[in-house]
Amino acid sequence: MENFYAELVDSGLVIPTGVKGAYGRGAALEDIIRAFNALVTRIGEADGAQEVLFPPVLPRALIEKMGYMDSFPQLAGSVHSFMGNDAKARELSERVHAGERWEDMLSPTELMLAPAACYPVYPAFSGLLPGGGRLITTMNWVFRHEPSDEPTRLQSFRMREFIRLGKSEDVLAWRDDWLRRGLALLQGLGLPADSDVASDPFFGRVGKMLATNQKEQRLKFEILVPVISKEKPTAVASFNWHQDHFSSKFGIRNSDDTLAQTACMGFGLERVALALVKAHGVDPKAWPQDVRAQLWPAA
Amino acid sequence: MENFYAELVDSGLVIPTGVKGAYGRGAALEDIIRAFNALVTRIGEADGAQEVLFPPVLPRALIEKMGYMDSFPQLAGSVHSFMGNDAKARELSERVHAGERWEDMLSPTELMLAPAACYPVYPAFSGLLPGGGRLITTMNWVFRHEPSDEPTRLQSFRMREFIRLGKSEDVLAWRDDWLRRGLALLQGLGLPADSDVASDPFFGRVGKMLATNQKEQRLKFEILVPVISKEKPTAVASFNWHQDHFSSKFGIRNSDDTLAQTACMGFGLERVALALVKAHGVDPKAWPQDVRAQLWPAA
């Protein structure tokens, strides 16, 4: 693991910033990410997904309503700002220069960091769906407070997602179809990818039961690729069937006025890029020709 | 202003989220932003800028060292997370469900939101520059805590920046050149763009003096386009000459070991897109052919 991170830094793919899981990306890594994201767009093009895009901050009220603070309080990022007067600002500045903590002078804003790219999508499509439901695609920076030296475990990273809203049979068939397509896509790029049933990192003792339950119900699948180790492969894509968890909260209904269901699938763009680097080397120009032809078809 | 926002929502360009300055972007708005950003890349291509990319969060220590909390404490966004145990997590969850404030149970992380796309660039290029200096390009989501109903004043938006590091005469000539190129680019897209000397929104009474000083020294220029009103045109690009403010903090030196200077220029991507919508209408397909040909040359 340390060797891989050192290789990433030496080759300029990764630019250290001094904070774990918050490094910068060099031009070559960014080019891989852009190319993979564009390949996903081409593969999904015929499906006619509607694109939406949200900023990396989203309403605090949405995080609360989603139940995120019940299940994943340890991962959430809350945005706080200074709302004081001139005198308080002087005190704040003095504390910064004295090397003292100053953050207790801040107040919570109405915003938190997006923990998943799909979260702001559900409230945006409240109400009746068209016949056949909806398919949405989005990309966003997501935040998870889990500082780590492991280069595939980032505090801030990009997810390219598709979100399906509709009848349960349509939503499930779509999820199964993307699980096949995602595996074929990643294996076709020379990655030893495999899929498995999975669970979310629910917090604490109650969380352990929630995770077991989620696995038993087969609500979450992941596509895994060995990057750091063979024993603990890295999840590079995830597939989540929410049943009516989000649709009931946001009043998303099918065209026949029954309660809709939702599912989402997402690629962790940095993780896919790092898996490709691990498999094919730090210089994309030296990657196998068939892999390059898929990622950079015009080159 | 209210009419313009209503038009943006009705046409699907903007997707309300319930928080001021944190709306979602529809497919057509995103397509304009992508096209303009790509046009900037083509225009700057011959300059051979090195691309780097940083996440929308950056080290708290960097914000402190930059002096940002002295000058703009009111705009900063600090990231706080829950670091407690099982019992505390239960209390947090109960407070959320009771509709009580729960944010005092969080602790500051090592991260803050990026207030400018160029900030993480300077520490990444500490040390000796190559002869002729460096030219860097980056794009990032930046955060400014200034909730507003005005659709061009966002809390979270994207800046496409170029950053020049080198000798003062090179840095200034580069800044002047981009001011001309930026104006030509925006006017060529049918925008009534003009440039002016400007100042940053320094906080408080002392800040007023800093702003006056900045204007007198002509350290900051902006390109302005009327979007919301003719009287108060919107800044869509800015040009900042930092002299040795950042290079001295981060030890950035010319190849002859003299202290380097830095300057940056950036386009506010959402603001440019909204200026184009204001000038040419909510349907990009109906925009003047010569504007479309520049933005979507392959179409």
Side-chain angles (χ1 to χ4, degrees):
Chain A
M1 178 182 105
E2 282 164 29
N3 285 347
F4 186 48
Y5 183 72
E7 253 188 286
L8 293 170
V9 173
D10 289 346
S11 59
L13 293 174
V14 154
I15 305 164
T17 60
V19 174
K20 293 176 187 201
Y23 55 71
R25 286 77 161 150
L29 187 62
E30 203 46 29
D31 197 34
I32 300 166
I33 288 173
R34 235 181 334 245
F36 179 76
N37 189 40
L39 175 56
V40 169
T41 298
R42 288 195 300 277
I43 283 174
E45 200 146 43
D47 300 355
Q50 178 186 345
E51 184 188 9
V52 295
L53 189 121
F54 292 88
V57 287
L58 47 73
R60 182 177 299 278
L62 176 57
I63 298 281
E64 292 174 338
K65 187 167 177 178
M66 283 290 203
Y68 195 81
M69 299 313 295
D70 305 332
S71 299
F72 313 104
Q74 81 283 17
L75 299 177
S78 175
V79 181
H80 297 219
S81 287
F82 174 73
M83 304 179 193
N85 59 16
D86 246 40
K88 287 287 180 192
R90 272 196 303 281
E91 185 190 335
L92 171 58
S93 173
E94 282 161 15
R95 286 212 220 166
V96 170
H97 287 274
E100 294 165 7
R101 297 316 298 244
W102 47 271
E103 295 86 350
D104 62 336
M105 298 185 70
L106 309 182
S107 308
T109 69
E110 288 184 281
L111 293 166
M112 294 185 69
L113 295 180
C118 63
Y119 272 26
V121 168
Y122 307 104
F125 294 97
S126 285
L128 279 192
L129 296 171
R134 279 189 195 277
L135 177 65
I136 308 297
T137 188
T138 194
M139 203 261 276
N140 204 357
W141 286 91
V142 303
F143 178 83
R144 312 267 172 93
H145 186 246
E146 41 180 357
S148 167
D149 286 319
E150 209 268 76
T152 68
R153 188 162 298 279
L154 288 163
Q155 296 201 61
S156 183
F157 57 94
R158 279 161 289 181
M159 291 286 298
R160 170 66 190 271
E161 287 206 27
F162 292 91
I163 301 104
R164 185 75 168 93
L165 309 92
K167 304 210 164 186
S168 61
E169 61 270 25
D170 294 342
V171 161
L172 266 180
W174 173 86
R175 195 270 320 263
D176 291 342
D177 187 44
W178 252 118
L179 192 51
R180 277 191 296 270
R181 289 160 94 180
L183 264 176
L185 167 61
L186 295 164
Q187 288 168 351
L189 292 170
L191 298 178
D194 209 347
S195 66
D196 201 0
V197 65
S199 62
D200 286 310
F202 294 101
F203 183 79
R205 269 186 301 149
V206 174
K208 283 214 174 69
M209 294 184 334
L210 291 171
T212 304
N213 186 41
Q214 188 185 28
K215 271 199 171 177
E216 279 172 4
Q217 289 195 65
R218 301 173 71 80
L219 298 180
K220 185 182 188 77
F221 287 84
E222 288 176 341
I223 295 180
L224 302 135
V225 179
V227 181
I228 304 303
S229 83
K230 287 219 161 85
E231 295 69 35
K232 288 191 175 178
T234 300
V236 298
S238 72
F239 305 77
N240 298 283
W241 179 28
H242 318 118
Q243 298 175 315
D244 62 10
H245 184 67
F246 294 143
S247 52
S248 61
K249 281 185 195 298
F250 298 104
I252 305 170
R253 305 187 68 80
N254 295 310
S255 58
D256 62 6
D257 209 30
T258 54
L259 188 58
Q261 293 211 348
T262 64
C264 69
M265 79 78 51
F267 292 101
L269 295 181
E270 280 80 0
R271 285 189 169 181
V272 170
L274 293 171
L276 287 165
V277 168
K278 183 70 182 182
H280 304 308
V282 293
D283 179 12
K285 289 192 195 71
W287 287 5
Q289 192 44 47
D290 71 301
V291 173
R292 287 191 53 80
Q294 293 175 69
L295 288 169
W296 294 280
Chain B
M1 179 182 103
E2 282 165 31
N3 284 348
F4 187 47
Y5 182 72
E7 252 187 286
L8 292 170
V9 173
D10 289 347
S11 58
L13 292 175
V14 154
I15 306 163
T17 60
V19 174
K20 294 176 187 200
Y23 55 70
R25 287 77 160 149
L29 187 60
E30 203 46 30
D31 198 33
I32 299 166
I33 288 173
R34 236 182 333 245
F36 178 77
N37 188 42
L39 176 55
V40 170
T41 298
R42 289 195 299 277
I43 284 174
E45 200 144 44
D47 300 355
Q50 178 185 346
E51 184 189 8
V52 296
L53 188 122
F54 292 89
V57 288
L58 46 73
R60 181 178 301 278
L62 176 58
I63 298 280
E64 292 174 338
K65 187 166 177 178
M66 283 290 204
Y68 195 81
M69 300 312 295
D70 305 332
S71 300
F72 314 104
Q74 81 284 14
L75 300 177
S78 174
V79 181
H80 297 220
S81 286
F82 174 73
M83 305 179 194
N85 59 17
D86 245 41
K88 287 287 180 191
R90 271 197 304 280
E91 185 191 336
L92 172 58
S93 172
E94 281 162 15
R95 286 212 220 165
V96 170
H97 287 274
E100 294 165 7
R101 295 319 294 244
W102 48 271
E103 294 87 350
D104 62 336
M105 298 185 69
L106 308 182
S107 308
T109 69
E110 287 185 281
L111 293 165
M112 294 185 68
L113 295 180
C118 63
Y119 272 25
V121 168
Y122 307 104
F125 294 98
S126 286
L128 281 191
L129 296 171
R134 279 189 194 276
L135 178 64
I136 308 296
T137 188
T138 194
M139 203 262 275
N140 204 357
W141 286 91
V142 302
F143 179 82
R144 311 265 172 95
H145 187 246
E146 42 181 357
S148 167
D149 286 320
E150 209 269 77
T152 69
R153 188 161 296 279
L154 288 164
Q155 296 201 63
S156 183
F157 57 95
R158 277 161 291 182
M159 292 287 295
R160 169 67 189 272
E161 287 205 31
F162 292 91
I163 301 104
R164 185 76 168 93
L165 308 92
K167 303 208 164 188
S168 62
E169 61 270 25
D170 294 341
V171 161
L172 266 179
W174 173 85
R175 194 270 318 265
D176 291 344
D177 186 46
W178 251 117
L179 192 52
R180 279 190 295 271
R181 288 160 97 180
L183 264 176
L185 166 61
L186 295 165
Q187 288 168 351
L189 292 171
L191 298 178
D194 210 345
S195 66
D196 201 358
V197 65
S199 62
D200 285 309
F202 294 101
F203 182 78
R205 270 185 301 149
V206 175
K208 284 215 172 67
M209 295 182 335
L210 291 171
T212 303
N213 186 43
Q214 188 184 29
K215 271 198 170 176
E216 279 171 5
Q217 290 195 66
R218 302 173 71 81
L219 298 180
K220 185 183 187 77
F221 287 84
E222 289 176 342
I223 296 181
L224 302 136
V225 179
V227 181
I228 303 303
S229 83
K230 287 218 163 83
E231 295 69 34
K232 290 191 175 176
T234 300
V236 299
S238 73
F239 304 77
N240 299 284
W241 179 30
H242 318 118
Q243 300 175 313
D244 61 10
H245 184 67
F246 294 145
S247 51
S248 61
K249 281 184 197 295
F250 298 104
I252 304 170
R253 304 186 70 78
N254 295 310
S255 58
D256 62 6
D257 208 31
T258 55
L259 188 58
Q261 293 212 348
T262 64
C264 69
M265 78 78 52
F267 292 102
L269 295 180
E270 280 81 0
R271 284 189 171 182
V272 170
L274 293 171
L276 287 164
V277 168
K278 184 69 182 186
H280 305 307
V282 293
D283 179 11
K285 290 195 196 68
W287 287 5
Q289 192 46 46
D290 71 303
V291 174
R292 288 191 53 80
Q294 293 174 72
L295 288 169
W296 293 280

